Amino acid sequence: MKRIVVIGALVLALLATTAVGCPQPQKIAEFEVTDLTPAEISVAPGESVAVEVTVKNVGEARGSYEVELKVNDEVYASETVTLEPNESTTATFTVSMEKEGIHEISADGKKATITVAAIAIGPEELLGKVAAFMELLHQGEFEAAVEFFDETMKAVAPAPKLEIVWDGLTAQLGPFKFLGESRVFEEAGFQIVLQRAVFERGELNIRVAFDQKGRISGLFFQPPAPIAEGWSPPDYVDEAAFVEVEVVFGIEGWELPGTLSLPEGEGPFPAVVLVHGSGPHDRDHTIFGVNKPFRDLAWGLATRGIAVLRYEKRTKYHAEKAFGIIEEFTVQEETIDDALAAVAFLRQAEEVAPKGIFILGLSLGGMLAPRIAAQDKDLGGLILLAANTRSLPDMILEQTEYLIYLDGKIDEFETRHLEWIKEQVRKIRELDISEGEIVLGASKAYWQDLMAYDQVETAKKLNIPILILQGGRDFQVTVEDFEGWQQGLAGLENVEFKLYSDLNHLFITGRDKPTPEEYVIPGNVAEAVVREVAHWIKRHSG
């Protein structure tokens, strides 16, 4: 390992001598670059990626070292760090390149590669991969099927688990027959194939996400619905009224890329941080490729003079790293730390009013908003959209029962699945979870932390404005949760409530009995919601 030696800052240039003339030994600072991550990554031309260089002072004196990040042996960026003996730090660099090809990045002998390439795999090739993958599932060749996966997918959906999922589908729908109409589109750096799959007793849509190397990075079996075209901006947005800036911020080692929407004109502006619901979401909170509620909110609010920061969720951008510490992962790491970092980032932006920063949380993000505010006393206020007051496991059970009984009947597979969900919920309620066991996607530490949190009681103790909005057609977080907020926070002058009878969980207008199928129909967050949020923020931002 190459080492860099620097004379300690407090050591004199000339050696001091003792009374008998013997030279005293110098103490020196000696630096090592111990890590460079990610080791390998693929990006599109112009796409930003965070590169982390970890440096340690292995010497005996305090000293400074200039961390140089090189791209193809030329210095791309540098940062000076000062460390005590045995201290380590991580320097984070944002790298973006337009030239396609494989580029070597390095820092003091540590090397990694960045592949810059436009997504070059054509739609026909992607559809061929989906057809081959589905045929392997049909033939029961699950070991061969997982070879289509990237490394993360291989870890979370190995052959035995893939077999269980497939057996469950075919038990309900019968043998797979053929693939129907399809749509191929790009989303968040991935190419997505959405295609109808026909089985003997029914059909569904399959959604397959491919990375830039043509590997499957995501696989979803969805309720049947028309293969619709994608998202389009809502009519209430004026794209000339704001600009967007790509940013990188976050906790050391967990930095996240995001988009800051800034109104045109003279600031500083009030600002909002958008906090995701459950699951590994992108910055737009994209649902099935056709709905982007966070982009709707960001563009709608920026049109009305409010800055908005939205970002990739940690469990999406750092999926493999987060999975590696799943046994100690809680909502603090999943959501809260990054929301607090986003607020801190905005406070440093000259375009933003530091005392006018608000949190807007959707679903789980709304549930956790009071806990975020309890850790940052200077927030301007909270906006809770579809935030639950009941426990998450209780809601999972209720949602499962709702969907199973939606068609008025229950078959053998659905019965077994419901019993399995009930057992998982029991384990969570009783914290009957053994070491290393994962229940409904999370460890004992996660559930223990979440079950100890009382969002209503936490909100009661806050002295900041709170706006709570709910859709009347939401079957995930229901009016029962909304009434829980009303009852628990009754009489508090700092809290306002509003119910929209025709809106679903995404605050998109609908009619009749709500079903998951409407999530694959393109729509936008209702203008009334954006208008209400914008008006409320301006009232409370001084």
Side-chain angles (χ1 to χ4, degrees):
M1 173 69 67
K2 179 183 175 184
R3 295 188 175 185
I4 301 91
V5 177
V6 181
I7 299 298
L10 300 179
V11 178
L12 298 175
L14 297 176
L15 294 178
T17 60
T18 65
V20 294
C22 296
Q24 296 179 347
Q26 284 183 308
K27 291 184 178 181
I28 60 173
E30 192 172 0
F31 295 88
E32 282 187 3
V33 172
T34 59
D35 198 16
L36 174 64
T37 59
E40 181 181 353
I41 192 168
S42 298
V43 296
E47 182 181 356
S48 297
V49 61
V51 176
E52 299 171 354
V53 180
T54 302
V55 181
K56 182 176 182 180
N57 182 353
V58 297
E60 298 178 331
R62 184 174 186 269
S64 297
Y65 169 57
E66 185 175 13
V67 184
E68 288 188 343
L69 183 74
K70 295 183 178 181
V71 176
N72 300 328
D73 289 330
E74 293 186 1
V75 176
Y76 181 88
S78 64
E79 178 180 332
T80 300
V81 298
T82 301
L83 300 175
E84 300 292 340
N86 294 317
E87 184 182 5
S88 295
T89 191
T90 299
T92 301
F93 301 93
T94 300
V95 178
S96 176
M97 289 178 286
E98 296 290 343
K99 185 177 180 181
E100 294 188 27
I102 299 176
H103 302 271
E104 181 183 88
I105 57 176
S106 61
D108 185 32
K110 290 285 185 180
K111 296 182 179 181
T113 58
I114 296 182
T115 300
V116 180
I119 298 178
I121 302 174
E124 292 303 321
E125 184 177 350
L126 293 176
L127 290 171
K129 286 177 177 283
V130 171
F133 176 75
M134 290 294 288
E135 182 60 26
L136 289 172
L137 297 184
H138 179 54
Q139 298 296 332
E141 299 291 339
F142 301 104
E143 292 287 352
V146 299
E147 291 304 311
F148 280 77
F149 292 168
D150 66 9
E151 295 307 312
T152 301
M153 278 292 292
K154 287 178 179 177
V156 301
K161 187 171 182 178
L162 185 62
E163 182 176 4
I164 291 171
V165 172
W166 184 253
D167 287 349
L169 287 173
T170 55
Q172 182 179 8
L173 300 175
F176 170 66
K177 292 298 184 181
F178 61 87
L179 293 169
E181 68 267 29
S182 63
R183 183 163 66 93
V184 181
F185 56 96
E186 186 177 340
E187 181 179 285
F190 297 91
Q191 279 190 296
I192 310 296
V193 174
L194 186 63
Q195 190 162 20
R196 184 169 66 98
V198 178
F199 294 76
E200 188 174 77
R201 297 194 298 273
E203 59 184 60
L204 47 72
N205 288 345
I206 59 170
R207 175 186 167 93
V208 188
F210 289 93
D211 66 12
Q212 292 171 329
K213 296 181 180 179
R215 303 174 301 183
I216 293 177
S217 297
L219 175 66
F220 306 90
F221 296 96
Q222 303 169 348
I227 307 295
E229 291 300 320
W231 177 88
S232 58
D235 293 337
Y236 53 76
V237 163
D238 178 5
E239 294 185 55
F242 61 93
V243 296
E244 295 207 304
V245 181
E246 296 303 300
V247 300
V248 176
F249 72 94
I251 306 298
E252 184 176 310
W254 297 93
E255 287 83 1
L256 299 169
T259 302
L260 178 58
S261 304
L262 287 170
E264 291 284 7
E266 192 171 335
F269 304 101
V272 179
V273 172
L274 303 184
V275 183
H276 311 82
S278 302
H281 292 289
D282 65 12
R283 71 192 70 188
D284 294 327
H285 215 295
T286 302
I287 306 294
F288 296 151
V290 297
N291 289 304
K292 298 177 180 289
F294 275 14
R295 189 184 293 184
D296 292 342
L297 288 165
W299 288 18
L301 293 173
T303 295
R304 288 158 175 79
I306 297 166
V308 183
L309 177 58
R310 64 194 196 274
Y311 51 90
E312 304 293 301
K313 191 173 178 182
R314 183 183 295 203
T315 48
K316 175 178 174 59
Y317 193 73
H318 293 289
E320 190 171 352
K321 187 175 180 179
F323 184 77
I325 59 169
I326 191 169
E327 289 190 39
E328 56 197 70
F329 212 61
T330 70
V331 292
Q332 187 72 36
E333 293 78 24
E334 179 191 14
T335 298
I336 297 170
D337 284 345
D338 295 326
L340 293 169
V343 172
F345 175 81
L346 285 180
R347 287 199 178 111
Q348 303 303 313
E350 62 181 15
E351 302 91 345
V352 172
K355 295 292 186 181
I357 300 174
F358 298 76
I359 291 288
L360 186 154
L362 173 63
S363 196
L364 177 69
M367 173 194 178
L368 295 175
R371 189 163 159 182
I372 295 168
Q375 297 180 40
D376 189 323
K377 305 299 184 182
D378 295 323
L379 284 172
L382 302 177
I383 303 112
L384 281 58
L385 271 60
N388 57 296
T389 52
R390 295 168 297 156
S391 75
L392 196 56
D394 287 349
M395 293 176 55
I396 291 172
L397 177 56
E398 182 182 278
Q399 289 175 29
T400 302
E401 291 174 331
Y402 178 87
L403 296 175
I404 283 177
Y405 289 105
L406 200 55
D407 60 1
K409 56 186 179 181
I410 182 169
D411 59 27
E412 183 180 349
F413 171 76
E414 290 172 327
T415 300
R416 292 200 309 269
H417 179 64
L418 181 57
E419 290 304 312
W420 181 79
I421 288 290
K422 287 179 177 178
E423 173 60 14
Q424 303 306 296
V425 169
R426 181 201 67 78
K427 282 174 170 276
I428 295 170
R429 286 172 177 161
E430 300 175 10
L431 289 176
D432 180 20
I433 304 171
S434 59
E435 184 177 351
E437 184 180 8
I438 302 301
V439 178
L440 294 181
S443 68
K444 183 175 182 177
Y446 184 96
W447 291 117
Q448 189 169 27
D449 172 73
L450 196 60
M451 296 296 281
Y453 169 56
D454 188 328
Q455 53 269 42
V456 178
E457 286 300 314
T458 304
K460 265 187 188 179
K461 300 173 184 177
L462 300 174
N463 295 316
I464 57 175
I466 301 174
L467 176 64
I468 301 176
L469 307 182
Q470 176 67 40
R473 297 183 62 259
D474 190 341
F475 67 85
Q476 295 180 256
V477 177
T478 70
V479 173
E480 182 179 347
D481 293 283
F482 182 65
E483 292 171 346
W485 288 109
Q486 289 180 310
Q487 294 164 10
L489 305 180
L492 297 181
E493 295 183 357
N494 63 313
V495 186
E496 297 177 42
F497 305 91
K498 187 142 189 178
L499 176 66
Y500 300 86
S501 59
D502 60 342
L503 302 186
N504 64 17
H505 190 60
L506 304 181
F507 287 80
I508 296 173
T509 304
R511 61 177 61 185
D512 303 323
K513 193 176 182 69
T515 69
E517 282 81 355
E518 63 190 80
Y519 292 160
V520 299
I521 300 171
N524 298 108
V525 172
E527 183 176 5
V529 174
V530 174
R531 192 167 54 241
E532 175 71 27
V533 171
H535 177 68
W536 183 87
I537 288 174
K538 289 183 177 180
R539 272 200 295 126
H540 291 287
S541 59

